[in-house]
Amino acid sequence: MIERTLVLIKPDGVARGLIGECVKRFEQRGLKVVGMKMIRPDAKLVGDHYTDDLEWLTSVGRKTKVSYEKKGMKMDKPDVEIGRYVRKWLMDYLASGPVVALVLEGHHAVEIARKLCGDTEPRVALPGTIRGDLSVESYMIGDEKQRPVKNVVHASGSVKEAESEMKVWFSENELCSYERVDWAAIH
Ligand code: ADP
């Protein structure tokens, strides 16, 4: 099942010189880079990416709470409220420096890219994943510093999300079609 997905190397990944390291991991797993650009996003672009969507806000808040509870800590705020302040932080953060946007194509591209990124919270992300190998960040550090968790990359969470996110960052004529010579050996 050939899919396309959107990946962002976030400002922390770019500033730390991790562009090549991230791209390498996606390429060597067998995903084809069909779109790539560096961009300094403005507030509108970032707002179009992290939309003010109740489902997303609730899911971000819930994930944070579960992680706190697993560590024996309690968070009393409603999920949506946590989601709202994370969105505000994220919008400021993503617009704070250059981002590298990628469209990756391949079998199960959405699922594979997401797995290569690892858990949202690098503290619990498995070694072997981008976040698990390249960051020690946690929700607690983010909270303490009043900023989002710096976790190097973003990857679309579903095929539907990938479709809308690709449209936010790329126009159709910015995506390229070409053959990878190792394709036949991989598949
Ligand atoms: P993912 O990027 O893994 O899909 P989410 O969509 O849930 O994760 O969250 C988007 C981004 O918001 C995360 O990658 C992370 O940078 C940041 N983030 C999420 N929850 C929190 C939180 N509780 N505190 C700080 N930053 C957060």
Side-chain angles (χ1 to χ4, degrees), residues 85-96:
Y85 72 68
V86 169
R87 179 172 184 261
K88 161 87 182 66
W89 287 345
L90 268 174
M91 290 180 64
D92 292 345
Y93 180 59
L94 218 61
S96 73

Side-chain angles (χ1 to χ4, degrees), residues 3 17 19 24 27-28 66 71-72 80 99 106 116 118 135-136 141-142 153 157 161 169 175 182 184:
E3 296 168 355
I19 300 169
K24 182 190 81 177
E27 281 196 300
Q28 68 186 14
V66 168
K71 289 170 185 92
V80 177
V99 165
L116 288 174
S135 173
V136 295
I141 297 175
V153 275
E161 203 176 285
W169 295 87
L175 303 179
D182 59 346

Side-chain angles (χ1 to χ4, degrees), residues 6-15 19 36-42 45-46 49 90 93-102 152-154 169:
L6 181 95
V7 164
L8 301 176
I9 303 174
K10 295 180 178 178
D12 56 311
V14 173
I19 300 169
M36 174 152 80
K37 63 179 162 187
M38 179 175 272
I39 182 166
R40 175 83 195 242
D42 58 16
L45 184 58
V46 170
H49 178 82
L90 268 174
Y93 180 59
L94 218 61
S96 73
V99 165
V100 170
L102 301 159
V152 190
V153 275
H154 161 83
W169 295 87

Side-chain angles (χ1 to χ4, degrees), residues 120-178:
T120 304
E121 188 185 19
R123 172 181 181 165
V124 300
L126 292 176
T129 63
I130 292 174
R131 291 164 172 169
D133 284 347
L134 305 174
S135 173
V136 295
E137 277 268 306
S138 64
Y139 290 130
M140 282 97 190
I141 297 175
D143 260 5
E144 198 183 293
K145 302 197 169 177
Q146 294 287 293
R147 58 153 176 73
V149 170
K150 292 186 183 179
N151 53 10
V152 190
V153 275
H154 161 83
S156 306
S158 66
V159 172
K160 194 164 158 261
E161 203 176 285
E163 274 161 17
S164 52
E165 289 183 355
M166 282 187 288
K167 288 197 188 106
V168 170
W169 295 87
F170 289 90
S171 54
E172 198 51 47
N173 64 6
E174 289 176 309
L175 303 179
C176 298
S177 189
Y178 64 99

